[in-house]
Amino acid sequence: MSDANSTPSSLVQSHDEVLVFPKGGNPSLTSNKWQVWNGSQDEGGLPALDLVSHGVLVPLVWWIEHHHEMDVIAKAKNGQIGVWFAADDDILKHAELIEAGKQYWPLVAAYFPLFRDGRSFSTAALLRERLGWTKEIRMIGDVLIDQLLQGARVGFDSFALRNDQDLGVALKQFDLYSVTTQNSWRDKRTLLDQTQ
Amino acid sequence: MYKYDNIDKTLVDQRVAQFRDQVTRRLNGTLTEEAFRPLRLQNGLYHQRHAYMLRVAIPYGLFNSKQLRTLANISEKYDRGYGHFTTRQNIQYNWVTLEDTPDILADLAKVEMHAIQTSGNCIRNITSDAFAGVAADEYVDTRPICELLRQWSTLHPEFAHLPRKFKFAVNGAKEDRTVMLCHDVGIELKKNVVGELTANIYAGGGMGRTPILGSLIKTELPWQLLPSYLTALLRVYNRFGRRDNLYKARIKILVKALGPEEFSRQVEGEWLHLQNSDDNFTQVEWDRVAKHFTKPPYKTLPMLTTEHILENVSEAEATAFTRWLERNVKPHQVPGYASVILSLKPHGTVAPGDATTAQMNAIADLADKFSFGELRSTHEQNLVLADVEQAELYELWQQAKKQNVALPNVGLLTDIIACPGGDFCSLANAKSLPIAKAIQERFDDLDYLFDLGDISLNISGCINSCGHHHVGNIGVLGVDKDGEEWYQITLGGEQGNDTSIGKVIGPSFYADEIPDVITNVINTYVNHRSEDESFIQAYRRLGVAPFKEAAYQNAKKKEKADAKSAGESV
Ligand code: HEM
Ligand code: SF4
């Protein structure tokens, strides 16, 4: 069901550092412990995890196919596997699987094939609002500075920026606005906040 | 009129700062044009044929004299001495520079205006009936809901990068003056049997290359639930709208592919999980906003008859003034008042909807003097003074004449809607403005225009349909064939309660044939009409055949046109 447009065989290169912005906390940079794997050359199975600093984010379609395998279960139990959603993955169709994944995956990610493709904004919103995902959600793919604010408000709390983006400028994106006129994952619209 | 509170003011100021930073990054090269493009579009900044064009929002068409003076100042300071009022209640400047744009936005912010989401693939400026709050045929004053929706949609994070642009229109009157069914979402506000404010939702309308009328997908939605319902609707579109093909990305294609029932079912499914959320509007919000839309301090006045209004008018002026009363003055809810349309289509005009700096300043004075300092912009690219005392109509008319905005052609053949076309727009296949001018020159006899009565003629320079040619009784569309400019004619379109899409009559014409073609079509109407029958009524009765025949009767280049359009799908 994935088209070439949403799950490219070569993924967008991101910075070595990720920007993390926990809800209620401050944005900061940290080293990236997760490799995003596109699952396309899976004859050999998962990438050798000892070569990866911590864990690997696998595509949802790969997880669906392989999550009963012993070594996959073992690594998942070890907290070394997370899942990423392609822009056209209908996550609501896999609600049960995601529910089950809550016990394994330290984080999930949603992929932006192109910065101006906003499908994954809705994915994050659904993960938070509907599927009750409380751990980290990472924005991956063609992630540019000027989409961070929207990402932060729909439910993302970590951001793997495209490797040509200026991390210093990126860090300053989140305090551009002190007011909002609609609710988001982070805050209620300012008016509602004031009247409560 | 709505007055910004601290939240609105802070937000718009911070938006200016954000955009200023984005422009700085663009200018110093750290932001690529590709990455900047959607950012500038979400701030109404286009790149046109010759220069940047800035589109400024006039939310639901309502503004005041102070704002109009600022718009006039901007046209003088940063542009070439005019502004262009559009069909979706925005104003455009055609000659701004990228460097100046942040300063323009800062000037706008000082008078509570902005350019947020006037373009781009996001929720666009919400349009409404230009006569909201005053129209005699109104069920509901749509302005408080429009303002609440403006706030809800402003910088909405989830819907900042939709598959395509997204346009709302809100109507609350018996007569639809918003072309509601040609919007991605049309919101029809009504009071239900127990007097509660509810909305009917139409989805999937739009023009462009595949014109489709919206379908009714929800009835009697309580007003408070609009944000959760619209979130559900937009979420379905954001997730499942097509992104592989620009021409198939509008919601109309999704609604058509699924069918309105299935689309509606999916929205309901999503909405189930949202409808009780605190996204919904509260009474507190309504009260905060609605207090700004109370009635101005109307006097208690007698309702005047036309005879009364004409009492002190000299005989020499009586005919002209009466015409203006008939065409440009509309009934009002309050006795003794009327709404006046100032025509931005004087014959010989440069472009329909243009107003010069001097005109804007003078119209601001008229608003102060005659209409509580408020104005409206209309879908037909005219301006409205909504609250004029009937007893002052004559004086207003005399002053409006001096500004060349009193031509009594509202709703007539020369009240043309036209896009900027090839003179400005880089997407154009052909020019629109010279066609509009040629038609106005051909039909500049007011007696004749009056006799013809209501006819709409709309011109677009390409299939994107900015000039709404699909819903003109007569539509003119610029098409390109082998690098030459041609024009295709549609007939039978209509806006209003019987909104319909016009039909292409056949092969296209050269620019210089258009005035003759229009003349022939009009003559057919004149020859066949029965008493009191409007053009569109006659067209519906007679069908396309006689009009088509007349249009081609002396088409000297018809054969060539036929040859050229062979194989071209219309
Ligand atoms: C030069 C500046 C302009 C550019 C580049 C431009 C671009 C476009 C494009 C690309 C579309 C097609 C959208 C689609 O089919 O999805 C469109 C439609 C439209 N534009 Fe423009 N436009 C311009 C000026 C205007 C002006 C001056 C007006 C008003 C007079 C206007 C009002 C509209 C409207 C009402 C539509 C039709 C919308 C629909 O299908 O819902 N535009 N424009
Ligand atoms: S209809 Fe075409 S030519 Fe006219 S303004 Fe729109 S995009 Fe430009």
Side-chain angles (χ1 to χ4, degrees):
Chain A
M1 55 174 275
S2 298
D3 58 52
N5 200 18
S6 29
T7 49
S9 51
S10 63
L11 296 162
V12 177
Q13 288 302 306
S14 66
H15 267 283
D16 294 340
E17 288 179 295
V18 281
L19 201 168
V20 291
F21 180 24
K23 189 174 176 174
N26 291 313
S28 65
L29 297 172
T30 171
S31 65
N32 182 7
K33 298 199 169 62
W34 290 87
Q35 180 188 342
V36 183
W37 181 55
N38 69 13
S40 63
Q41 307 105 348
D42 73 346
E43 289 119 75
L46 284 168
L49 282 176
D50 40 334
L51 298 179
V52 176
S53 43
H54 183 85
V56 61
L57 284 162
V58 302
L60 176 67
V61 281
W62 189 91
W63 176 263
I64 292 169
E65 203 168 317
H66 296 277
H67 72 286
H68 295 299
E69 293 165 14
M70 293 302 287
D71 63 324
V72 173
I73 294 170
K75 281 168 185 152
K77 278 192 172 156
N78 211 14
Q80 288 176 295
I81 294 181
V83 158
W84 66 269
F85 305 111
D88 61 353
D89 280 338
D90 185 352
I91 59 161
L92 294 180
K93 290 212 170 115
H94 304 288
E96 277 175 35
L97 201 90
I98 292 168
E99 187 58 37
K102 283 179 185 171
Q103 56 177 313
Y104 301 122
W105 310 328
L107 81 169
V108 291
Y111 189 76
F112 287 73
L114 190 61
F115 66 93
R116 54 174 189 275
D117 179 339
R119 280 177 287 186
S120 292
F121 288 142
S122 287
T123 301
L126 286 168
L127 281 165
R128 295 297 188 197
E129 281 173 19
R130 183 89 73 83
L131 302 181
W133 180 265
T134 53
K135 290 184 268 184
E136 182 175 334
I137 307 180
R138 183 168 294 189
M139 198 169 169
I140 59 170
D142 199 28
V143 179
L144 308 190
I145 287 162
D146 295 284
Q147 280 73 49
L148 294 177
L149 195 52
Q150 286 104 332
R153 296 194 63 220
V154 294
F156 290 102
D157 50 1
S158 81
F159 308 84
L161 281 119
R162 199 171 77 185
N163 61 4
D164 64 347
Q165 299 293 294
D166 184 324
L167 295 177
V169 179
L171 276 171
K172 285 187 288 202
Q173 293 304 301
F174 303 101
D175 53 7
L176 296 178
Y177 291 95
S178 57
V179 293
T180 67
T181 50
Q182 67 290 110
N183 295 348
S184 72
W185 174 63
R186 277 176 203 265
D187 32 42
K188 301 278 174 223
R189 53 194 184 274
T190 311
L191 184 88
L192 217 56
D193 241 9
Q194 288 174 351
T195 51
Q196 269 172 1
Chain B
M1 198 179 128
Y2 184 68
K3 193 124 193 47
Y4 278 9
D5 61 15
N6 266 335
I7 302 170
D8 303 300
K9 196 174 156 20
T10 308
L11 187 113
V12 169
D13 287 344
Q14 291 176 341
R15 175 67 183 144
V16 174
Q18 181 188 27
F19 193 67
R20 194 181 286 282
D21 173 61
Q22 290 170 339
V23 169
T24 307
R25 281 189 278 135
R26 175 72 200 108
L27 291 171
N28 72 22
T30 53
L31 190 57
T32 62
E33 179 55 26
E34 195 215 356
F36 181 56
R37 190 169 176 273
L39 305 178
R40 66 168 162 77
L41 287 175
Q42 298 207 351
N43 231 324
L45 193 64
Y46 276 85
H47 202 93
Q48 281 190 282
R49 193 161 285 233
H50 311 287
Y52 279 103
M53 178 273 269
L54 181 69
R55 185 181 286 156
V56 176
I58 304 173
Y60 39 95
L62 186 62
F63 59 133
N64 63 30
S65 55
K66 189 174 162 195
Q67 293 173 325
L68 182 53
R69 284 193 191 93
T70 298
L71 295 174
N73 278 344
I74 289 171
S75 71
E76 183 158 61
K77 195 165 152 195
Y78 304 102
D79 205 87
R80 295 196 179 171
Y82 70 98
H84 178 73
F85 288 92
T86 79
T87 53
R88 293 198 76 256
Q89 300 180 309
N90 300 302
I91 179 171
Q92 297 184 171
Y93 296 104
N94 284 307
W95 301 97
V96 302
T97 65
L98 179 58
E99 290 80 351
D100 280 341
T101 306
D103 292 337
I104 301 175
L105 296 175
D107 286 0
L108 288 169
K110 283 188 202 126
V111 293
E112 310 188 344
M113 294 190 95
H114 60 72
I116 299 171
Q117 292 174 197
T118 51
S119 181
N121 296 335
C122 52
I123 305 171
R124 300 285 190 91
N125 181 37
I126 292 164
T127 60
S128 180
D129 183 1
F131 298 89
V134 298
D137 68 341
E138 180 169 88
Y139 304 122
V140 176
D141 180 354
T142 52
R143 296 171 302 170
I145 288 294
C146 287
E147 175 54 31
L148 287 173
L149 289 172
R150 179 190 75 85
Q151 295 178 20
W152 165 78
S153 61
T154 296
L155 306 185
H156 197 299
E158 190 178 338
F159 307 124
H161 295 284
L162 294 168
R164 204 67 182 82
K165 57 166 145 181
F166 206 88
K167 298 176 175 181
F168 281 104
V170 185
N171 182 47
K174 201 163 144 199
E175 173 75 20
D176 171 32
R177 283 175 286 264
T178 67
V179 211
M180 186 173 72
L181 295 185
C182 288
H183 282 75
D184 297 285
V185 167
I187 300 175
E188 183 180 37
L189 294 178
K190 292 224 163 117
K191 291 262 169 77
N192 68 10
V193 282
V194 290
E196 293 157 343
L197 178 59
T198 65
N200 293 337
I201 310 286
Y202 294 83
M207 290 194 237
R209 74 183 55 223
T210 318
I212 298 179
L213 300 182
S215 307
L216 181 62
I217 60 157
K218 181 85 186 164
T219 53
E220 298 210 2
L221 176 74
W223 68 270
Q224 296 91 335
L225 306 186
L226 277 164
S228 58
Y229 186 82
L230 296 174
T231 298
L233 184 153
L234 275 149
R235 192 171 278 172
V236 171
Y237 171 57
N238 191 33
R239 299 180 70 217
F240 302 113
R242 287 183 63 170
R243 290 178 185 259
D244 57 329
N245 181 340
L246 189 69
Y247 303 119
K248 298 194 169 160
R250 295 282 296 273
I251 194 176
K252 62 190 174 187
I253 303 294
L254 179 66
V255 173
K256 197 175 175 197
L258 294 174
E261 298 76 25
E262 172 60 15
F263 177 75
S264 153
R265 201 191 58 75
Q266 292 192 12
V267 174
E268 291 290 327
E270 186 63 40
W271 185 52
L272 263 181
H273 301 273
L274 298 169
Q275 58 185 332
N276 298 320
S277 71
D278 57 9
D279 284 344
N280 290 321
F281 292 142
T282 63
Q283 190 61 39
V284 175
E285 285 165 297
W286 172 274
D287 293 343
R288 178 183 64 109
V289 163
K291 68 170 185 278
H292 297 291
F293 299 105
T294 51
K295 305 289 176 198
Y298 292 123
K299 297 179 197 160
T300 312
L301 297 170
M303 174 99 90
L304 301 186
T305 60
T306 309
E307 289 72 53
H308 274 125
I309 296 170
L310 283 164
E311 242 161 37
N312 296 319
V313 177
S314 72
E315 214 160 297
E317 288 180 318
T319 313
F321 181 58
T322 309
R323 272 200 191 119
W324 184 76
L325 288 179
E326 262 177 56
R327 297 307 319 190
N328 297 28
V329 177
K330 301 289 167 194
H332 201 283
Q333 291 171 357
V334 178
Y337 285 86
S339 297
V340 171
I341 303 173
L342 301 174
S343 168
L344 295 183
K345 324 282 180 68
H347 292 169
T349 184
V350 186
D354 271 9
T356 63
T357 308
Q359 278 177 324
M360 285 193 255
N361 280 319
I363 291 169
D365 293 344
L366 294 181
D368 281 337
K369 187 148 183 223
F370 295 98
S371 194
F372 302 100
E374 286 186 8
L375 298 120
R376 324 293 187 91
S377 64
T378 75
H379 161 67
E380 291 83 2
Q381 306 181 276
N382 291 316
L383 295 177
V384 170
L385 299 177
D387 300 294
V388 180
E389 287 179 33
Q390 285 179 303
E392 299 200 318
L393 286 169
Y394 178 55
E395 198 187 335
L396 168 59
W397 176 67
Q398 286 175 314
Q399 298 195 17
K401 271 201 302 183
K402 289 189 196 133
Q403 300 307 325
N404 204 16
V405 292
L407 195 75
N409 64 341
V410 168
L412 301 180
L413 187 63
T414 57
D415 189 8
I416 295 171
I417 294 177
C419 80
D423 289 293
F424 296 100
C425 178
S426 49
L427 305 176
N429 285 329
K431 292 198 168 75
S432 314
L433 304 179
I435 301 294
K437 194 156 187 269
I439 294 169
Q440 285 187 334
E441 275 163 9
R442 173 69 61 93
F443 293 93
D444 71 344
D445 177 353
L446 278 173
D447 288 326
Y448 187 56
L449 288 175
F450 241 69
D451 173 59
L452 296 177
D454 287 318
I455 301 185
S456 57
L457 190 151
N458 300 351
I459 309 175
S460 300
C462 78
I463 195 61
N464 285 325
S465 325
C466 301
H468 281 192
H469 66 278
H470 295 297
V471 292
N473 297 166
I474 301 173
V476 181
L477 165 67
V479 287
D480 168 86
K481 278 188 250 165
D482 309 328
E484 271 186 289
E485 298 191 352
W486 292 77
Y487 295 87
Q488 195 177 62
I489 302 291
T490 57
L491 292 178
E494 196 183 7
Q495 61 184 62
N497 293 4
D498 292 319
T499 295
S500 27
I501 307 284
K503 293 223 162 36
V504 179
I505 62 167
S508 15
F509 300 93
Y510 278 131
D512 62 2
E513 294 176 291
I514 295 296
D516 285 341
V517 170
I518 307 293
T519 305
N520 293 341
V521 167
I522 295 292
N523 287 343
T524 307
Y525 159 63
V526 171
N527 295 337
H528 293 283
R529 68 178 161 187
S530 45
E531 218 181 325
D532 288 339
E533 198 179 37
S534 69
F535 177 86
I536 188 71
Q537 287 164 342
Y539 173 85
R540 290 201 173 127
R541 178 172 57 84
L542 296 163
V544 70
F547 295 95
K548 182 173 171 172
E549 196 178 315
Y552 291 100
Q553 73 189 28
N554 48 3
K556 47 188 188 284
K557 293 142 191 158
K558 181 172 181 301
E559 269 169 48
K560 192 172 165 199
D562 274 339
K564 288 221 175 189
S565 58
E568 177 202 50
S569 63
V570 286

